[in-house]
Amino acid sequence: MADQKLTKAIGQKIKKARQEAKISQEQLADKLGLSGNNIISRWENGLGRISVDQLMKIADLTHRPISHFFGEVNDEKLKTYKLEQKLKKLKELLEE
């Protein structure tokens, strides 16, 4: 029962993160190398389990720390994470 609640909670967070990143289910499936958006819909509705590898990719695509999908993440932590990612990209550009 608790496992099912976790699966559903993760699915809801995937959906919200995807929508905030303005990525459709089909686009996300494509970026993950999956055919069709059915699996994304199943994850978001808590009907299917997602692998840690796929969740890590979704975290990267939606600019969220992986921990975002497992527990409460306040806005300040999310802002800090996004800033760190931008600084990392800037550093890479400057090193080129």
Side-chain angles (χ1 to χ4, degrees), residues 6 9-10 13 65-74 77:
L6 178 61
I10 290 171
K13 289 185 179 195
I66 188 86
S67 61
H68 172 81
F69 299 96
F70 293 104
E72 292 297 318
V73 175
N74 65 34
K77 285 184 181 177

Side-chain angles (χ1 to χ4, degrees), residues 31-32 43 49-61 66 70:
K31 290 176 188 262
L32 296 174
W43 289 340
R49 291 188 180 191
I50 184 169
S51 73
V52 173
D53 288 341
Q54 295 288 34
L55 192 56
M56 287 175 65
K57 290 176 186 175
I58 290 172
D60 186 50
L61 291 168
I66 188 86
F70 293 104

Side-chain angles (χ1 to χ4, degrees), residues 5 14 19 35-36 39 54 61 64 70 86 95:
K5 285 183 181 181
I14 290 171
Q19 290 173 333
S35 58
I39 188 67
Q54 295 288 34
L61 291 168
R64 303 236 174 345
F70 293 104
K86 287 179 182 178
E95 290 175 351

Side-chain angles (χ1 to χ4, degrees), residues 16-31:
K16 186 175 180 185
R18 176 185 60 75
Q19 290 173 333
E20 288 176 357
K22 297 181 178 16
I23 301 172
S24 71
Q25 287 182 342
E26 188 173 292
Q27 290 169 323
L28 182 58
D30 186 54
K31 290 176 188 262

